[in-house]
């Protein structure tokens, strides 16, 4: 049984609930295989200076991403101020416009506080968001799992709010599921289709399943696949976990109880 | 003439266009975005816009990221 409908964010429609990164793979061929196994149709990319030294290397990451299969989501990774975010977002849009790839109309906003924690900087994030929304971007906002901050980000016009499960690349999973639950309640109140995505912190497939069971619309991850011992196998596991978590969340779990409840009938025991 | 390209000072032919600069580095225009002095230059202007001495250029591309 497959679960329901596609995920719509801004002008784009995703047919998978998993968004996968393109960083940290040991080869572009491996990245390509992992993307296929993950069954995603949306991958994130970063904007960086062209390395002018190896002018004949000729390998661009886009040569390993099929424009017919994947929508690109450019990020503003590595930015620490609103000005930097806006500049990188505009460059990402420029790179994608006329490139043959979908993705020029949206951006993953990432405004970091410092290099050690890589935690999002909330004030710079909000400031950049307002500018980008005014410029017509559909903005997916990476942020901390602070309920009030997530509300402010939605109010400021974000196309999706993407609270971190735990710090980027930390593999700790969703550390505060209750915060995610409250964020979902608040942001989806009278607006059930509003996209909330857990971005960052996933370590393994069960983290994805757990996040999806909470009722988030999707999960964005990179290191958990790229850094696994067998990235291709992990990519396949992530696809299954996304589906399993979404199905289980929709099915509705039983309540947790302290004591046992027998599964076989008490009546009719021969020793009764 | 001297320009600053991606943070490094370098010498290029006087009156070069952006298209010529990209060509000299084997960079396809469709895979880059270019800023001159902090302003984005649209791709369709790559042939017409001439680089001036001491211009600060950024040539960026897409790379792997999360």
């Amino acid at each position: 049984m497959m679960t329901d409908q596609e995920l719509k964010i801004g002008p784009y429609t995703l047919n998978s609930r998993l968004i996968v990164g393109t960083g940290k793979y040991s080869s572009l061929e491996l990245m390509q295989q992992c993307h296929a196994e993950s069954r995603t149709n949306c991958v994130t990319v970063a904007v960086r200076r062209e390395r002018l030294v190896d002018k004949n290397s000729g390998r661009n990451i886009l040569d390993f991403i099929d424009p017919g299969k994947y929508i690109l989501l450019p990020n503003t990774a590595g930015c620490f101020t609103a000005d930097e975010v806006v500049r990188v977002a505009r460059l990402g849009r420029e790179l994608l416009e006329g490139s043959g790839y979908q993705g020029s109309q949206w951006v993953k906003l990432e405004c970091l506080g410092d290099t050690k924690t890589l935690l999002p900087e909330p004030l710079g994030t909000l400031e950049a968001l307002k500018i980008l929304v005014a410029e017509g971007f559909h903005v997916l906002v990476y942020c901390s799992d602070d309920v009030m901050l997530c509300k402010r980000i939605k109010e400021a016009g974000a196309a999706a709010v993407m609270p971190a499960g735990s710090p980027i690349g930390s593999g700790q999973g969703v550390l505060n599921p209750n915060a995610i639950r409250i964020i979902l309640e608040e942001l989806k109140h009278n607006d059930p289709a509003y996209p909330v995505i857990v971005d960052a912190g996933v370590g393994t497939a069960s983290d994805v399943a757990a996040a999806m069971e909470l009722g988030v619309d999707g999960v964005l991850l990179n290191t958990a696949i790229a850094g696994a011992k067998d990235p291709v196998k992990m990519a396949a596991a992530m696809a299954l976990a996304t589906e399993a978590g979404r199905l289980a969340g929709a099915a509705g779990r039983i309540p947790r109880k302290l004591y046992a409840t027998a599964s076989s009938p008490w009546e009719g025991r021969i020793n009764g | 003439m001297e320009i600053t390209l991606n943070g490094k000072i370098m010498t290029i032919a006087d009156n070069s266009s952006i298209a010529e600069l990209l060509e000299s580095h084997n960079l396809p225009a469709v895979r880059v975005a270019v800023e001159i002095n902090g302003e984005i230059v649209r791709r369709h202007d790559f042939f017409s816009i001439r680089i001036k001495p001491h211009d600060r250029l950024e040539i960026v591309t897409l790379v792997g990221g999360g």
Side-chain angles (χ1 to χ4, degrees):
Chain A
M1 178 196 286
M2 295 296 285
T3 38
D4 48 336
Q5 76 285 6
E6 307 137 327
L7 172 58
K8 286 189 171 56
I9 304 175
Y12 302 111
T13 300
L14 311 188
N15 52 32
S16 160
R17 301 284 167 158
L18 187 61
I19 301 174
V20 178
T22 56
K24 294 188 183 176
Y25 287 95
S26 56
S27 75
L28 291 168
E29 288 81 1
L30 180 64
M31 176 196 80
Q32 199 170 38
Q33 255 183 297
C34 289
H35 287 167
E37 287 293 334
S38 75
R39 288 190 249 135
T40 185
N41 76 319
C42 177
V43 297
T44 57
V45 284
V47 176
R48 287 294 178 271
R49 278 176 168 164
E50 191 50 91
R51 290 175 307 169
L52 301 164
V53 277
D54 48 350
K55 56 167 90 169
N56 290 315
S57 69
R59 277 161 64 101
N60 186 289
I61 194 164
L62 294 188
D63 297 331
F64 295 82
I65 301 172
D66 181 348
K69 282 188 186 155
Y70 301 102
I71 303 168
L72 298 184
L73 173 56
N75 70 27
T76 65
C79 292
F80 292 86
T81 66
D83 285 350
E84 289 171 16
V85 166
V86 170
R87 187 180 176 197
V88 171
R90 288 173 182 159
L91 285 167
R93 177 165 65 184
E94 192 62 25
L95 272 161
L96 282 165
E97 272 182 3
S99 70
Y101 287 85
Q102 289 188 76
S104 64
Q105 298 183 67
W106 67 358
V107 64
K108 170 183 159 179
L109 193 171
E110 195 174 320
C111 184
L112 303 177
D114 65 48
T115 53
K116 183 181 180 187
T117 66
L118 298 181
L119 289 172
E121 205 291 294
L123 304 182
T125 299
L126 258 182
E127 190 186 338
L129 169 63
K130 288 172 186 165
I131 298 168
L132 292 175
V133 167
E135 292 190 10
F137 282 91
H138 298 271
V139 190
L140 290 73
V141 184
Y142 165 66
C143 57
S144 51
D145 60 0
D146 181 280
V147 179
M148 294 306 147
L149 176 65
C150 287
K151 284 179 74 169
R152 299 296 165 258
I153 288 170
K154 184 187 174 191
E155 286 163 10
V161 175
M162 305 203 293
S166 51
I168 294 174
S170 72
Q172 299 180 69
V174 177
L175 285 181
N176 192 348
N178 286 341
I180 302 292
R181 283 189 182 98
I182 300 173
I183 289 166
L184 287 167
E185 258 189 47
E186 292 288 330
L187 270 54
K188 286 176 174 290
H189 181 66
N190 290 335
D191 190 7
Y194 187 78
V196 177
I197 291 169
V198 163
D199 178 2
V202 163
T204 185
S206 53
D207 296 334
V208 171
M212 292 304 294
E213 282 177 34
L214 292 173
V216 299
D217 298 275
V219 174
L220 193 164
L221 60 89
N222 185 350
T223 311
I225 292 178
K229 275 187 190 159
D230 185 336
V232 176
K233 209 171 264 182
M234 186 59 89
M238 293 305 188
L240 294 170
T242 305
E243 196 62 34
R246 186 160 167 79
L247 265 175
R253 57 155 300 145
I254 59 163
R256 287 188 168 84
K257 284 181 288 191
L258 187 56
Y259 293 106
T261 314
S263 299
S264 308
W266 207 244
E267 298 250 327
R269 290 170 302 132
I270 57 168
N271 53 335
Chain B
M1 63 178 175
E2 247 179 26
I3 60 164
T4 306
L5 177 54
N6 288 1
K8 287 188 186 127
I9 293 173
M10 55 176 73
T11 303
I12 63 167
D14 287 0
N15 205 34
S16 296
S17 68
I18 292 170
E20 286 162 351
L21 178 65
L22 294 177
E23 174 71 33
S24 72
H25 288 278
N26 277 345
L27 296 171
V30 73
R31 294 288 168 84
V32 298
V34 179
E35 262 186 12
I36 296 187
N37 303 322
E39 295 291 324
I40 288 176
V41 180
R42 306 304 310 268
R43 240 178 236 123
H44 54 75
D45 292 328
F46 283 0
F47 283 95
S48 57
I49 299 236
R50 300 282 153 181
I51 303 165
K52 295 188 291 298
H54 310 299
D55 272 351
R56 285 175 296 108
L57 274 87
E58 291 286 344
I59 302 178
V60 299
T61 191
L62 293 173
V63 301

